Structure formats: structure tokens, C-alpha cells
Amino acid sequence: MSADVRSTVRKVKDIEYRLLPGTARQTTDIVIERDGCVTVRPPARMTPEQVDDTVLSRRRWIYRNLAEWRDLNSTRVVREWVNGESFLYLGGAYRLLLVGEQNEPVKLRDGRFCLLRSVVDQGGKAAAHEAFRDFYITRGRVRLKQRVEHFAPRVGVQPGPLQVKELGYRWASSLSGGGLHFHWKCLMAPPKIIDYIVVHELCHLHHRDHTELFWNEVDKVLPDYRERKEWLRARGAGMDL
């Protein structure tokens, strides 16, 4: 989940991929990102041409996983800003109720998401989306800070500042200086999946790439991480507005 802006786009035959900076590791890490982009992080000793050859050698795996990504994302939910529509929070689904008055644009009250009708009437879908995003960001700062503080000693790291923000197609990212960024959409996931995302990023403060050493660190804290990882892979597309 860690992001790196220092990348170049390459294409070998019909496979386009984003080449990330090399590392000291001995193997090449190939990942299908949430947006369907193929990212490749090779050992530092490899030339771009050697990376192309490696990508070609893994093309069947890439084709298969891209096809699976397309299947998963074909069920992406498009929500409407009308009474009765369902919205997610901490794994639960809550119906939307448009209200005439309240002291905040969005409130979770009496088992419903209450949204000021004036937000939709005056600003349309964009304003409603922004109001919900702000709700998730505000709640996320508190919950994610608590979970980071809970897990950091178990991982054995001292993380830097935490931000909840728009991260495009990444659930989270860890910075080289120890800072942690989380996508506001994480707040739609069940608590145990949020914990997986938190532990994942904390372990990246030990190991930047998805090596065996990295996953061993995750396993020490969350022995059932594979189940949580699979839940996020299979259902993440539905966590959207």
C-alpha cells in the first residue's frame, strides 16, 4: 500500500506497467493496484530491459489477475443521494435520510445517515459527496489514531504524523519519515479490516516492500491477516460513494 511518486510508465507487448524505484531485495514485486494499474518494483541491480523480461515471464499471472480485477470491479456500487439509499460506516449499512435542519451537514443518528437536504438542493452530488467525505475524515482521524497507537508498540515502530485524506486508489501509504496517510474510505470497512490496513502500513515502516520478511511482520501481529486481506481485495470496490 505504500506509494512512491518516483515512477515511470513502460510497456512491453500489450502490458503497460508502472516501474517503481529498485530496492535491495532479490526478487521483483508485481502488484495489481486498486485502479487496475500494474506496478513493478525490481531489485536495484536490474536494468529496465531486464524488468521487461521479468514482466513478460509473469504475463499469465498478470492476465489472470487483471481479469479477476475486472470481475471484482464490475460490481462497483453507484449510490444516489435520495432517501433510503444505503451508505457504509465501520462495516455497517445505514439508510440515508434527507433532513431540513441539523447543526452539521452529515450526522449518524438513530441508525440513519442524516444529510441536510439543502446540501443536495444547492450543491448537488458534488456537495453531498464532499459532506460525506468530511464526515469520514473527521471520524477517521480519531479512530485511526487510536488504532495506530494500539498497534505501533506491537509492531515495534514509532510512526510520525497521521493524515486522513483522498489517496486515489490506495487504501493507505507510509512515508519514509514515518508519517502515515489513510484513505477516508477506510472508515467504510469493518473494524477488523481497518486494523489490517493499519498494521499493514506500520509494518511498512520496517520493510518498504511486500517481501516475505514484511508478511512475517504482519503475521506476528495478525495471524489471520490473509483472511482480512482477501476480504479487502474482494469487497473493496463496494466501499465508495
Side-chain angles (χ1 to χ4, degrees), residues 143-152 194-195 198 202:
R143 173 169 285 271
L144 288 163
K145 183 175 184 291
Q146 291 173 341
R147 303 316 290 163
V148 166
E149 291 176 349
H150 173 77
F151 284 111
I194 294 175
D195 284 352
V198 167
L202 289 173

Side-chain angles (χ1 to χ4, degrees), residues 104-124:
E104 298 174 37
V106 177
K107 275 191 170 185
L108 187 55
R109 187 178 67 222
D110 300 328
R112 289 179 178 269
F113 264 123
C114 298
L115 172 66
L116 276 175
R117 183 181 298 276
S118 59
V119 171
V120 180
D121 291 344
Q122 297 173 16

Side-chain angles (χ1 to χ4, degrees), residues 9-224:
V9 176
R10 293 181 63 82
K11 187 170 185 178
V12 52
K13 292 191 179 297
D14 60 340
I15 300 175
E16 184 174 275
Y17 69 92
R18 188 162 68 235
L19 177 60
L20 304 178
T23 68
R25 62 175 298 169
Q26 297 301 309
T27 57
T28 300
D29 193 24
I30 302 178
V31 176
I32 310 299
E33 302 289 355
R34 284 180 60 213
D35 59 352
C37 176
V38 180
T39 61
V40 180
R41 190 183 293 275
R45 56 180 170 77
M46 291 182 68
T47 66
E49 291 72 25
Q50 289 174 321
V51 178
D52 286 347
D53 291 340
T54 299
V55 169
L56 278 178
S57 72
R58 299 281 303 279
R59 63 186 180 278
R60 290 184 180 177
W61 180 92
I62 293 172
Y63 293 152
R64 184 173 66 252
N65 281 271
L66 282 174
E68 187 177 74
W69 176 88
R70 284 190 287 269
D71 287 344
L72 291 173
N73 281 269
S74 67
T75 59
R76 184 179 296 276
V77 176
V78 179
R79 292 181 167 85
E80 299 293 334
W81 304 97
V82 296
N83 284 324
E85 180 61 279
S86 179
F87 290 83
L88 299 173
Y89 179 64
L90 298 182
Y94 299 89
R95 297 293 183 183
L96 181 66
L97 178 66
L98 298 177
V99 298
E101 294 183 2
Q102 63 183 20
N103 59 1
E104 298 174 37
V106 177
K107 275 191 170 185
L108 187 55
R109 187 178 67 222
D110 300 328
R112 289 179 178 269
F113 264 123
C114 298
L115 172 66
L116 276 175
R117 183 181 298 276
S118 59
V119 171
V120 180
D121 291 344
Q122 297 173 16
K125 294 181 178 180
H129 186 282
E130 183 177 354
F132 263 77
R133 182 202 64 194
D134 291 346
F135 171 88
Y136 290 121
I137 288 175
T138 300
R139 295 291 185 94
R141 288 181 183 133
V142 176
R143 173 169 285 271
L144 288 163
K145 183 175 184 291
Q146 291 173 341
R147 303 316 290 163
V148 166
E149 291 176 349
H150 173 77
F151 284 111
R154 299 176 62 182
V155 177
V157 295
Q158 293 184 333
L162 181 152
Q163 292 187 44
V164 183
K165 58 192 296 186
E166 173 65 50
L167 289 178
Y169 287 95
R170 291 185 178 272
W171 291 115
S173 65
S174 56
L175 309 183
S176 57
L180 299 173
H181 292 174
F182 294 94
H183 201 304
W184 53 265
K185 292 180 184 178
C186 291
L187 273 292
M188 298 183 184
K192 67 180 297 183
I193 304 304
I194 294 175
D195 284 352
Y196 164 70
I197 296 171
V198 167
V199 171
H200 187 117
E201 294 312 316
L202 289 173
C203 288
H204 270 314
L205 299 181
H206 281 309
H207 305 284
R208 301 302 299 171
D209 301 317
H210 297 101
T211 60
E212 184 176 351
L213 290 174
F214 167 80
W215 290 115
N216 285 342
E217 290 288 342
V218 178
D219 184 72
K220 291 177 186 176
V221 182
L222 299 176
D224 65 343

